[in-house]
Amino acid sequence: DAVSKARVPPSLLRGPAKEERLIERQVARSQIADLVSDLRNSVADKDTSLKLERVNQRGKIEWLKEQIQSVEADLQMLHEYKESLDKVQWQETEAEEAAAEPQED
């Protein structure tokens, strides 16, 4: 009886069977609306999560850029320091060689 009733359109049903079918449809519509709402909320939550992740990634990228600039500045300072050490060493070598050469009086 339930199988045959399910195949009959509500417009052909009468009395309690028609009312029961309308209630079933109303419940089904309500459940579908709830599922759609839950799905929309889930999508919105995921979208918010992705946006936050994107913002965090941008923050990480900016931090990494700052770190790269800092390392580049440190490398430049080290290069300049090495050049000054090379210059001092060259001057010391020149002075040692000059002191080692026989003096002509």
Side-chain angles (χ1 to χ4, degrees):
D1 186 43
V3 173
S4 63
K5 189 172 72 173
R7 294 175 195 211
V8 178
S11 59
L12 298 179
L13 295 174
R14 300 277 181 244
K18 183 175 184 174
E19 206 169 306
E20 187 178 310
R21 174 67 61 83
L22 291 173
I23 290 171
E24 287 172 357
R25 282 187 159 189
Q26 204 169 12
V27 168
R29 283 188 186 116
S30 176
Q31 289 173 339
I32 290 171
D34 289 346
L35 289 172
V36 169
S37 177
D38 289 348
L39 185 59
R40 283 186 179 142
N41 289 339
S42 175
V43 168
D45 290 347
K46 186 66 174 172
D47 186 51
T48 301
S49 174
L50 288 172
K51 285 178 182 175
L52 286 173
E53 188 176 323
R54 203 173 295 135
V55 167
N56 287 339
Q57 291 298 327
R58 283 190 202 123
K60 288 177 185 176
I61 290 170
E62 289 303 315
W63 180 81
L64 286 171
K65 284 180 181 177
E66 291 171 6
Q67 297 306 306
I68 289 169
Q69 289 173 347
S70 174
V71 168
E72 286 173 342
D74 289 348
L75 282 173
Q76 182 63 35
M77 287 179 10
L78 285 171
H79 180 71
E80 291 169 3
Y81 180 68
K82 182 186 177 301
E83 284 181 344
S84 69
L85 284 178
D86 289 346
K87 186 176 180 181
V88 167
Q89 187 176 9
W90 180 79
Q91 289 172 344
E92 288 175 352
T93 303
E94 287 287 312
E96 287 172 4
E97 288 175 359
E101 289 179 7
Q103 298 292 325
E104 295 181 21
D105 286 331

